[in-house]
Amino acid sequence: MVQPDVHTLAHHLKQERLYVASEKQLIQRLNAEVLKTAEKLYRAAWIAKQQRINLDRLILTSAEASPAECCQHAKVLEDTQFVDGYKSLGFQESIYGEFLGRLRENPRLVASCLVAGERLSQEHAQGVIHTVFTSLYGNCIMQEDESYLLQVLRYLVEFELKESDNPRRLLRRGTCAFSVLFKLFSEGLYSAKLFLTATLHEPIMQLLVEDEDHLETDPAKLIERFMPAQQERLFGEKGSEAHRQRVQAVVEANEAKLVALVNKFIGYLKQNTYCFPHSLRWIVSQMYKTLSCVERLEVGEVRTMCTDLLLTCFICPAIVNPEQYGIISDAPINEVARFNLMQVGQLLQQLAMADADEGDPRRKSSLSKFDKSCVAAFLDVVIGGRAVETPPMSSMNLLEGLTRTAVYITQSQLFALVDFVRSVVQGDQLREEERLALESLLANIPRSRAAKSNSLELTPSNTPQLSPATTPANKKNRLPIANFFFFFFFLLN
C-alpha cells in the first residue's frame, strides 16, 4: 500500500512543479509585456508633449517660430528614433545617469537651480524647464515623478513667488518657472482632463449650438465689424441719436447673452468641484499657505493670485481652446464661436478680479449682474481643508508597482541641462550649501560642447549618426539626417 502512495505523491509533486514553472514563465512573460508597453507609453508621452510644445511655439510665439520651422519640427518628431545612450556616450553614460538620478531625487535643488538660472538668463531657462518636465520627471506619468514635481512646484513658490517684489505680476506674465511647470503639469494630468471635460463640455457645446453672432460689448468694435453700408442699414445714420440707441441696444443684448453663458459655466464649475484634481488642489493650497505668511501681501491679494492661477493657467485656456484639451472632438469651432469663448474666458477672469483695483470699465455693468462670491466660493473649496506637507497620492494610479529606470532626452537637451547647471554654479544666485551640492553632482561630468536648450537637433552638425538608416548597407535608402531624433537611456537606480 505504501509504494502506490509514494508513486502517487511523486506524480502530484511533478505536476505541481510543472504547474509552478508554467505560472512563473507566464508571470515573467506578462511582466516583460508590461515593461514593453510602459516603454511605448513613455516614448509616446515624450513625443506628444514635444508636439504640444511645438504647437504652443507656433500659436503663442509666431514671431520667433515660423510655420515652416514648426512643421519641420513636427515632421522630425513623427520620425523619432530611440537609441541607447551608451552608443553615443560610451562609458560616460553611467556618469550622466548618476547625475540625472541624483538631480531628479532632489526637488529642492532643482527648484533653486531653476530660479537662479532664470535670474541669470530667462531665455536659456525656458528650454531647461521643458527638459526638467519632459525628461527628468518623465511627463509625470509615474506617481513618483508626480510627487517629485509637486515638491519642485512647492519650492518654487517659496524661492520664486515669495521672494518676488510683485508675485502677482510675475504669475500673470506666465513665463516664470512656476507658471510654466504648473501649465505643463496641469495639461498632462489625467484627473485634470476629467475635471475639465466634466465641467466644460456641456456649456461649450451649448455655446456652439446657440450663438451665431459675435457677442461684442464694445460699441466701437461692434460697429467696426460691419461695412459702412451695413452700419447705416442696421443702426441708422452715424452720429445720430437713433444710431447710438440702436448700438447700445445690441450691446445690452450681447451683454445679457454673455451673462447667461458665464452663469452657465459657473454653474457647471461649482457642480463639478468634487472632482477637482487633488494634485492641483494641494499645490494651490501650498501656494496660499506660503504667501499668506508674507507680511507685505494681504490675504485678499493672495486669494486673487490663487484664483488668477487657476483661471489663467488652467480653466480659461481650456475654454478658449477646448479641442486641444480633448473637451470636444466632433464639433468644429468657427471664428465666431472662438471669439465668444474668449469673451466668456475674459469675463470669468474679470469676475475673479472684481475686488481688485484694476479692471476694464466697460465690463462694470456686466460684472454687476453676477454674484461676486461665486468664484470665491469655488476657491474656498480648492484651498479649504487641512494643508498637508506631503503631496497627495494619485487616486487613479494605473501604473502602481512600476518604477521608471530610464530618462528620454536628446543629446542637445542633455548637454544644455549640464551647461545650465554649470552656469548656475558659476553665478552668484545660490546659497553656499546648494552650490556645494551642485558641484558634487557635476564633479565627474566631462566638459560638454555648447548646445542650445531648445534645439531639436535638426541639422547634421549636431545630430549623431547612429541610426541603422545611416549605415553603408542602407546608404541607398537613407533618409535625411534631419528626420531622426536620438534619445538616450540612463539608469536612474
Side-chain angles (χ1 to χ4, degrees), residues 69-260:
E69 180 186 356
C70 290
C71 288
Q72 188 181 16
H73 285 196
K75 177 60 177 174
V76 168
L77 286 165
E78 289 176 1
D79 296 330
T80 298
Q81 295 291 317
F82 294 87
V83 177
D84 289 336
Y86 71 87
K87 293 183 179 180
S88 177
L89 300 177
F91 71 92
Q92 294 176 351
E93 179 204 19
S94 60
I95 298 175
Y96 283 104
E98 182 183 2
F99 165 76
L100 292 172
R102 290 170 61 188
L103 185 63
R104 169 180 175 263
E105 295 170 357
N106 196 333
R108 183 186 180 93
L109 193 60
V110 172
S112 297
C113 193
L114 290 177
V115 173
E118 274 192 314
R119 292 169 181 166
L120 294 173
S121 173
Q122 178 79 25
E123 179 183 357
H124 291 93
Q126 292 297 309
V128 172
I129 293 170
H130 288 148
T131 301
V132 166
F133 180 79
T134 59
S135 298
L136 195 64
Y137 293 115
N139 293 297
C140 291
I141 294 176
M142 305 300 296
Q143 175 66 47
E144 186 178 34
D145 288 317
E146 181 179 323
S147 178
Y148 280 140
L149 188 79
L150 286 173
Q151 293 180 59
V152 172
L153 287 169
R154 182 184 65 179
Y155 285 121
L156 285 175
V157 171
E158 182 178 345
F159 301 153
E160 188 172 44
L161 300 183
K162 186 178 179 181
E163 298 301 323
S164 172
D165 295 333
N166 194 334
R168 184 182 174 191
R169 183 175 60 187
L170 187 65
L171 273 178
R172 299 205 74 176
R173 199 176 294 161
T175 57
C176 66
F178 177 84
S179 296
V180 175
L181 274 181
F182 182 88
K183 184 175 184 293
L184 290 171
F185 176 63
S186 60
E187 284 177 348
L189 192 63
Y190 182 68
S191 56
K193 294 180 181 179
L194 291 179
F195 170 76
L196 291 174
T197 302
T199 302
L200 302 179
H201 180 267
E202 189 65 26
I204 288 177
M205 289 300 295
Q206 291 181 19
L207 183 148
L208 297 182
V209 171
E210 296 174 1
D211 290 308
E212 300 178 355
D213 299 321
H214 293 86
L215 299 181
E216 180 62 75
T217 57
D218 185 341
K221 293 180 180 179
L222 175 65
I223 296 174
E224 290 175 358
R225 292 190 175 277
F226 300 98
M227 299 295 291
Q230 292 176 308
Q231 293 179 19
E232 187 172 353
R233 187 178 73 253
L234 293 173
F235 306 114
E237 185 179 354
K238 191 171 184 180
S240 64
E241 181 63 21
H243 180 276
R244 188 193 66 79
Q245 290 178 355
R246 289 176 183 177
V247 170
Q248 186 61 31
V250 174
V251 169
E252 291 177 356
N254 288 344
E255 286 181 347
K257 290 181 180 180
L258 279 174
V259 168

Side-chain angles (χ1 to χ4, degrees), residues 208-490:
L208 297 182
V209 171
E210 296 174 1
D211 290 308
E212 300 178 355
D213 299 321
H214 293 86
L215 299 181
E216 180 62 75
T217 57
D218 185 341
K221 293 180 180 179
L222 175 65
I223 296 174
E224 290 175 358
R225 292 190 175 277
F226 300 98
M227 299 295 291
Q230 292 176 308
Q231 293 179 19
E232 187 172 353
R233 187 178 73 253
L234 293 173
F235 306 114
E237 185 179 354
K238 191 171 184 180
S240 64
E241 181 63 21
H243 180 276
R244 188 193 66 79
Q245 290 178 355
R246 289 176 183 177
V247 170
Q248 186 61 31
V250 174
V251 169
E252 291 177 356
N254 288 344
E255 286 181 347
K257 290 181 180 180
L258 279 174
V259 168
L261 279 173
V262 173
N263 278 331
K264 193 175 297 182
F265 274 85
I266 292 173
Y268 278 95
L269 189 66
K270 294 167 66 176
Q271 180 181 330
N272 292 282
T273 306
Y274 71 93
C275 62
F276 190 83
H278 294 295
S279 299
L280 299 185
R281 178 175 296 182
W282 182 82
I283 192 59
V284 175
S285 298
Q286 292 295 318
M287 175 179 165
Y288 179 77
K289 173 185 174 184
T290 302
L291 297 183
S292 295
C293 299
V294 180
E295 292 183 0
R296 66 180 183 277
L297 295 176
E298 299 290 338
V299 174
E301 189 175 359
V302 175
R303 289 176 60 87
T304 298
M305 284 189 284
C306 293
T307 307
D308 206 12
L309 175 69
L310 289 175
L311 291 174
T312 304
C313 295
F314 181 51
I315 296 174
C316 287
I319 292 176
V320 176
N321 297 297
E323 66 271 42
Q324 292 185 19
Y325 290 79
I327 297 171
I328 61 171
S329 58
D330 53 353
I333 299 181
N334 57 29
E335 188 270 336
V336 174
R338 185 80 65 191
F339 175 83
N340 293 340
L341 287 172
M342 292 176 65
Q343 291 287 81
V344 169
Q346 289 174 6
L347 262 177
L348 275 174
Q349 288 179 292
Q350 292 178 10
L351 186 61
M353 307 300 134
D355 295 329
D357 292 333
E358 56 185 271
D360 188 349
R362 292 190 302 267
R363 297 287 190 180
K364 288 185 178 180
S365 60
S366 296
L367 296 180
S368 64
K369 301 173 184 178
F370 292 97
D371 177 8
K372 294 183 179 181
S373 64
C374 55
V375 178
F378 169 69
L379 180 65
D380 288 335
V381 174
V382 173
I383 65 176
R386 186 173 59 90
V388 294
E389 290 299 319
T390 56
M393 298 294 290
S394 176
S395 58
M396 296 187 64
N397 185 15
L398 303 179
L399 300 177
E400 186 175 2
L402 282 179
T403 302
R404 186 168 63 94
T405 58
V407 171
Y408 293 75
I409 188 170
T410 66
Q411 188 177 33
S412 65
Q413 288 175 335
L414 173 65
F415 292 154
L417 177 61
V418 172
D419 291 343
F420 178 82
V421 174
R422 278 207 175 98
S423 66
V424 169
V425 171
Q426 294 169 2
D428 57 353
Q429 302 294 327
L430 291 174
R431 288 181 285 269
E432 185 61 27
E433 62 271 18
E434 294 168 345
R435 186 187 309 279
L436 293 175
L438 287 177
E439 287 177 349
S440 173
L441 287 179
L442 294 169
N444 298 321
I445 300 292
R447 287 282 172 179
S448 62
R449 67 174 184 268
K452 295 181 180 179
S453 62
N454 60 349
S455 172
L456 291 181
E457 301 184 16
L458 292 173
T459 61
S461 62
N462 62 7
T463 306
Q465 301 181 26
L466 299 175
S467 171
T470 63
T471 61
N474 293 325
K475 187 174 182 180
K476 183 178 180 180
N477 298 321
R478 184 170 67 182
L479 296 174
I481 292 177
N483 284 348
F484 293 93
F485 248 123
F486 296 88
F487 289 71
F488 304 90
F489 298 75
F490 305 100

